[in-house]
Amino acid sequence: MRTASIRLTDLWPRRSSAAALPPGQRELRVFPRFSDNPLRPLPSSPEPATLSVGGAVRRELTVTVDQLPDLVPRTTITADFHCVTTWSVCDLRWSGVPFEAFWHEVIMPRCEPEPDVDGVVVRGLDGVQAIIRLDDALQPDVLLADRLDDAALSPVHGAPLRFVSPQQYGYKNIKHVCGIELYRTTPASTYGAKEHPRARVAFEERHSIIRGAALRWPYRLAVPLTASLAERSARRS
Ligand SMILES: Nc1nc2c(c(=O)[nH]1)N[C@H]1C(S)=C(S)[C@@H](COP(=O)(O)O)O[C@H]1N2
Ligand SMILES: [Mo]
């Protein structure tokens, strides 16, 4: 299995022989847990798990995560995952509901967003959040996923629900999703300048100020330690 007992040497991103990776990215053959704060424990999820939609809407909405595939048809995508710190994992199979369909078929009719909504803040149960412009959120490969590689999404990789946006760096792919808040004016980032408003992998938008290529090495050097700490703290909690 891709996640069974990961060794430190597995956590050094290597040039890929097979896949053509985006600029500055290298491959990991394992999929570790990762975070800007690797010591943050796994959050606990309420039972049943819910997803709330609020912010610039006429009506707020809360649905259970189990309900989602009844509201919007489920889909499966295969995508590579790219962390801003330069590691990529190839061919992950995510299953869930497309965000675009959730937007048009659930949020629009039920919540009636303000006409000038520009994007959403996606929030995780651990307090981590990402700011996503609406045009990025509505890409056809963006999912609210509850399954990974034909199994229920594990707590390590973001149960009960994960925002999956393959064209954006990992930090926009929020785990343990519990809330979506619509905004009209872009809020301040909880990551500060580290969060690029778009974080598109293809354009190497790693940071809002510093040029992406300049951060490859400083970020890459921290990968093995960060990933092994995140793995250990997640598997203990
Ligand atoms: N809720 C939450 N989501 C998060 C993070 C986090 O710390 N908390 N870290 C982000 C970062 S930086 C990365 S690279 C990926 C890592 O996902 P993984 O732990 O499944 O490898 O999750 C992203 N989403
Ligand atoms: Mo990341």
Side-chain angles (χ1 to χ4, degrees):
M1 218 182 98
R2 218 189 296 242
T3 48
S5 103
I6 293 174
R7 292 164 307 172
L8 203 58
T9 49
D10 296 333
L11 295 171
W12 181 245
R14 295 170 201 273
R15 281 194 188 82
S16 170
S17 45
L21 294 173
Q25 294 301 113
R26 292 189 182 186
E27 189 179 8
L28 289 186
R29 295 298 184 89
V30 294
F31 186 27
R33 182 166 170 93
F34 207 84
S35 176
D36 62 310
N37 175 359
L39 301 178
R40 191 185 289 120
L42 283 179
S44 55
S45 175
E47 209 29 76
T50 58
L51 172 67
S52 298
V53 181
V57 293
R58 188 178 270 206
R59 280 186 302 277
E60 297 185 345
L61 171 73
T62 298
V63 294
T64 67
V65 169
D66 290 347
Q67 254 179 299
L68 284 173
D70 302 329
L71 301 171
V72 183
R74 178 181 283 284
T75 188
T76 301
I77 62 161
T78 299
D80 298 345
F81 179 89
H82 309 289
C83 172
V84 70
T85 64
T86 75
W87 61 268
S88 297
V89 183
C90 295
D91 295 328
L92 296 177
R93 241 172 90 80
W94 301 101
S95 168
V97 302
F99 187 81
E100 190 183 16
F102 184 67
W103 180 266
H104 290 294
E105 291 161 34
V106 180
I107 296 184
M108 289 296 275
R110 296 214 197 168
C111 303
E112 295 188 37
E114 304 288 342
D116 52 351
V117 164
D118 249 2
V120 296
V121 176
V122 181
R123 291 187 203 290
L125 290 161
D126 57 359
V128 175
Q129 64 180 55
I131 299 166
I132 316 278
R133 267 171 47 159
L134 204 53
D135 49 351
D136 291 322
L138 295 178
Q139 290 295 308
D141 54 355
V142 174
L143 294 190
L144 291 167
D146 62 350
R147 296 182 65 79
L148 168 61
D149 289 341
D150 302 307
L153 187 61
S154 65
V156 166
H157 289 300
L161 189 68
R162 183 172 192 149
F163 187 79
V164 173
S165 178
Q167 298 176 57
Q168 295 180 290
Y169 284 120
Y171 64 84
K172 300 286 194 182
N173 289 240
I174 293 296
K175 295 178 280 198
H176 321 297
V177 170
C178 60
I180 292 172
E181 197 178 303
L182 283 59
Y183 67 79
R184 297 145 83 169
T185 21
T186 314
S189 171
T190 50
Y191 289 113
K194 276 185 166 174
E195 181 171 8
H196 188 285
R198 307 202 65 184
R200 289 170 300 174
V201 178
F203 298 95
E204 211 173 347
E205 294 168 339
R206 296 186 198 274
H207 189 281
S208 70
I209 301 163
I210 303 169
R211 196 171 53 88
L215 282 171
R216 290 176 189 176
W217 275 103
Y219 274 174
R220 187 174 296 142
L221 289 169
V223 169
L225 182 62
T226 309
S228 57
L229 289 174
E231 277 286 311
R232 279 173 62 178
S233 64
R235 286 171 201 279
R236 263 183 210 161
S237 57

